[in-house]
Amino acid sequence: MSEPAYPDKGQPQDPPQGQPQYPAQGQPQYPAQGQPPVAVQPGPAVVIAQTLVFGEQPMTMQCPGCRATVTTSTSYTNGLLTWVAIGGICLFGCWLGCCLIPLCIDACKDVEHRCPNCQIVVGFYKRIK
């Protein structure tokens, strides 16, 4: 009588020669007898960076400086849109003081977000990038 084509399910089989043997998923890995155990080094940690989108309104976030959860304080600063508006008004002939109006309008200015605890700048909202 010849050997069965398929082994019994209860009997372990030797791996074919020249092919690596991988343990089954969820099975513990043990070193072979007579070999020293091998230390497995974990790979590098994967950090997922989340990009925050700042706007005109204060936002709640974790401060990168003091690690506190805060609602940012906002202030308006002169940005590119402010200076473009001043230049545009000057081009239309309103250079005797009317060109300074964009310096008084918050809707023309960029917004700076700061942490209220440690006062570091955590982000900007720029009207023109």
Side-chain angles (χ1 to χ4, degrees), residues 4-69:
Y6 297 102
D8 291 338
K9 290 186 180 186
Q11 297 176 351
Q13 293 292 314
D14 292 329
Q17 293 288 337
Q19 291 183 358
Q21 180 181 4
Y22 299 106
Q25 188 100 11
Q27 296 279 334
Q29 296 180 356
Y30 298 107
Q33 290 183 353
Q35 294 180 355
V38 178
V40 178
Q41 296 287 334
V46 177
V47 177
I48 299 173
Q50 187 177 18
T51 304
L52 294 175
V53 178
F54 293 96
E56 291 184 55
Q57 303 299 319
M59 60 183 293
T60 302
M61 62 175 289
Q62 183 179 12
C63 174
C66 62
R67 301 281 185 216
T69 302

Side-chain angles (χ1 to χ4, degrees), residues 105-117:
I105 300 173
D106 287 340
C108 293
K109 296 181 178 185
D110 293 345
V111 182
E112 181 181 79
H113 290 263
R114 288 185 175 267
C115 173
N117 292 340

